[in-house]
Amino acid sequence: SKANEPAPAPPIVHYYMNNLTTSRNPVENQETVLILTPLARFYQEYWDNLLKLSYPHDLISLGFIIPKTKEGNAAYTALQAQVTKTQSGTKSKRFKSVTILRQDTESPLQSQSEAERHKMENQKARRAAMAKARNSLLFTTMGPTTSWVLWMDADIIEYPPNLIQDLAGYDVPIVAPNCYQRYYNTEKKANEIRPYDYNNWVDSPTAKELAAKMGKDDILLEGYAEMPTYRSLMAHMYDASADPGTKIKLDGVGGAVLLVKAEVHRDGAMFPAFPFYHLIETEGFAKMANRLNWESFGLPNYLVYHYNE
Amino acid sequence: SKANEPAPAPPIVHYYMNNLTTSRNPVENQETVLILTPLARFYQEYWDNLLKLSYPHDLISLGFIIPKTKEGNAAYTALQAQVTKTQSGTKSKRFKSVTILRQDTESPLQSQSEAERHKMENQKARRAAMAKARNSLLFTTMGPTTSWVLWMDADIIEYPPNLIQDLAGYDVPIVAPNCYQRYYNTEKKANEIRPYDYNNWVDSPTAKELAAKMGKDDILLEGYAEMPTYRSLMAHMYDASADPGTKIKLDGVGGAVLLVKAEVHRDGAMFPAFPFYHLIETEGFAKMANRLNWESFGLPNYLVYHYNE
Ligand SMILES: Nc1nc2c(ncn2[C@@H]2O[C@H](COP(=O)(O)OP(=O)(O)O)[C@@H](O)[C@H]2O)c(=O)[nH]1
Ligand SMILES: Nc1nc2c(ncn2[C@@H]2O[C@H](COP(=O)(O)OP(=O)(O)O)[C@@H](O)[C@H]2O)c(=O)[nH]1
Ligand SMILES: [Mn+2]
Ligand SMILES: [Mn+2]
């Protein structure tokens, strides 16, 4: 279809929000899932995993937002090729709809190397820009029939095909699996795994004290030695020998993989691009949801994997 | 069309957000306007004024959210009759699309009389519920081609047909006209006008001091003698003999009539249902937009009229 030419809208549509469920049995109840991905780089494994999702694809809509950078152009081309292939291929694999947004703002940081983007002084501007990108994507793609929103970063390249059913099965407003990374341990000469996403945490008295002393525009960041928060990080709670279904309450969440009941967003929970209780982006989202009386949970023993650059 | 049956979505849609303008000349640039109305009561004059809008109707989408109350049922029936009539009538009067949402939550306050809903102790719960209703409507109806969002309360029953062009002409992120009410002055035995909406204001040192001393969940309210804020109220700035185009900067806005560039909402500006800088709903929205670096303006001498119960 042509750029910026909207599909012809039906003249009148009525929706009874009562009839829209978000339940423990989403497949049975034909609940629609919107998978949202801010995408700066395209990984084939990301797409392959989406295709392997066992949730009925005709209940899944996909939404992407891609930055206006050279890297974004390449990602766009690669994504487009896969989307076209899938949407014209086997019927059962086709998704309900795909929306691709090209951002109109310049990226504050051109370099996207893992080292560069994790530098503390780059985090505030970078995460504010990410928050705005996530909000644009969310506000633009969520529709009246969306029951669930699954946030999925573009560099998540491994998870079980039952991911959606597994996460929805907890029947909680917001739920995050534990995001790890595979790597080669050169000392032990073995393939191992290590924590990747440090944004899933339980608050600490230290972090609260730090926040209380901060200027109104300062933010607390997790995972930096310069600013020890002593929060309990879900990344460190993984236990291969424990109950794989363990669920804990979280105060901050990451957006790498995050299942959210659509009503949480509909109540107004978004990703603050400004310091909100000294938190920003996905961590600020958990706090905002909390102010709207929605709780966040984490699954320490349910692993999903981030690409290793 | 049947309830909760979405229109068939096209398999792939691309949008270049660059190509989406919000300009001083919205008609020329074919910019799409989404008019959003939380609607508890239906007034024929509201609908008649919408029909008289000179902005091309094929660029206007309408969105409504209606409470789950007896009053809401009556409003729904009345709205539906008018929508059906318009959308099957003269082509030039038909709107691009109409979305009607029925709320799934109970209204915190059943009585909607003007006296009852303006009672200070009822305001916090009522405005929190209104904020959630506005957010649901916004998150659900805003699409990739929306350039402007015009908030319009259901009891706004008089304004110039060029309203959209007039407001867009200011080319500012957020703009509110002055909301008045016609009444019969029994003393003077004459038809007169008086201010209605006190939510459009410029902040004051007193209000800031009050806020600084408040508990984190307390809110400042405007228009109550019990809590004098000494803010400068746009409602009191109307001057029939002054420049009708005068524009002032505002710190708090009302939602009775409010034109917002869609990118403001896309950045994440919504209606906080929780105290945000001790502000809630539309007043909190102005503050949140401000945190996202968007400014709000008011037009003291541009009048729109609220129904007089
Ligand atoms: N739209 C958009 N997506 C981005 C941008 N920068 C990164 N991303 C994507 O946002 C997600 C998170 O970013 P990433 O750099 O992986 O963050 P990290 O893994 O937490 O360091 C990934 O899916 C990226 O592809 C950007 O400027 N715009
Ligand atoms: N969806 C919804 N709309 C409501 C509800 N209560 C009021 N409204 C509408 O919201 C707008 C503002 O409410 P109103 O009672 O007029 O507020 P006021 O004029 O500021 O006192 C109007 O368009 C009402 O019809 C509600 O519970 N749900
Ligand atoms: Mn990443
Ligand atoms: Mn009103």
Side-chain angles (χ1 to χ4, degrees), chain B residues 117-118 126 153-156 196 256 306-307 309:
Chain B
R117 68 180 193 257
H118 288 180
R126 195 178 153 272
D153 276 355
D155 42 20
I156 298 300
Y196 181 83
H306 188 277
Y307 190 81
E309 299 171 21

Side-chain angles (χ1 to χ4, degrees), chain A residues 4 11 13-17 19 76 98 100 102 135-136 139-140 142 144 217 265-268 270 291, chain B residues 4 11 13-19 76 98 100 102 135-136 139-140 142 144 217 265-268 270 291:
Chain A
N4 283 9
V13 196
H14 302 263
Y15 297 99
Y16 296 86
M17 308 197 75
N19 300 352
Y76 182 55
V98 183
I100 306 176
R102 283 308 300 269
N135 290 333
S136 278
F139 280 59
T140 301
M142 201 165 84
D217 284 338
H265 285 310
R266 279 205 189 88
D267 270 359
M270 50 73 179
R291 292 292 282 151
Chain B
N4 283 9
V13 196
H14 302 263
Y15 297 99
Y16 296 86
M17 308 197 77
N18 273 329
N19 300 351
Y76 182 57
V98 183
I100 305 176
R102 284 307 301 270
N135 290 334
S136 278
F139 279 57
T140 301
M142 201 164 83
D217 284 339
H265 285 310
R266 279 203 189 91
D267 270 359
M270 49 72 177
R291 292 292 283 151

Side-chain angles (χ1 to χ4, degrees), chain B residues 57-58 60 86-96:
Chain B
H57 288 204
D58 59 353
I60 298 179
T86 300
Q87 295 304 79
S88 56
T90 324
K91 280 235 166 80
S92 68
K93 290 286 175 195
R94 291 186 199 170
F95 296 102
K96 185 180 145 108

Side-chain angles (χ1 to χ4, degrees), chain A residues 1-7 9-20 65 68 76 80 83-84 87 96-104 131-132 135-136 138-145 216-217 265-271 273-277 288 291-292, chain B residues 1-7 9-20 65 68 76 80 83-84 87 96-104 131-132 135-136 138-145 216-217 265-271 273-277 288 291-292:
Chain A
S1 73
K2 288 205 216 104
N4 283 9
E5 198 181 84
I12 316 170
V13 196
H14 302 263
Y15 297 99
Y16 296 86
M17 308 197 75
N18 273 330
N19 300 352
L20 194 69
I65 188 162
K68 188 186 160 187
Y76 182 55
Q80 203 167 350
V83 166
T84 307
Q87 295 302 80
K96 185 178 145 112
S97 67
V98 183
T99 305
I100 306 176
L101 307 178
R102 283 308 300 269
Q103 254 168 288
D104 50 358
K132 288 186 189 177
N135 290 333
S136 278
L138 175 66
F139 280 59
T140 301
T141 58
M142 201 165 84
T145 60
K216 88 174 186 4
D217 284 338
H265 285 310
R266 279 205 189 88
D267 270 359
M270 50 73 179
F271 301 93
F274 48 82
F276 182 73
Y277 290 79
M288 191 170 284
R291 292 292 282 151
L292 291 162
Chain B
S1 75
K2 286 205 217 104
N4 283 9
E5 199 180 85
I12 316 170
V13 196
H14 302 263
Y15 297 99
Y16 296 86
M17 308 197 77
N18 273 329
N19 300 351
L20 193 69
I65 188 161
K68 189 184 158 189
Y76 182 57
Q80 202 166 350
V83 166
T84 307
Q87 295 304 79
K96 185 180 145 108
S97 68
V98 183
T99 305
I100 305 176
L101 308 178
R102 284 307 301 270
Q103 254 168 287
D104 50 359
K132 288 187 188 175
N135 290 334
S136 278
L138 175 66
F139 279 57
T140 301
T141 58
M142 201 164 83
T145 60
K216 88 173 186 5
D217 284 339
H265 285 310
R266 279 203 189 91
D267 270 359
M270 49 72 177
F271 301 93
F274 47 83
F276 182 73
Y277 290 80
M288 191 170 284
R291 292 292 283 151
L292 292 162

Side-chain angles (χ1 to χ4, degrees), chain B residues 188-203:
Chain B
K188 297 196 192 161
K189 298 206 192 313
N191 289 314
E192 296 199 337
I193 60 170
R194 64 185 171 204
Y196 181 83
D197 190 345
Y198 293 105
N199 293 330
N200 296 299
W201 44 256
V202 183
D203 217 351

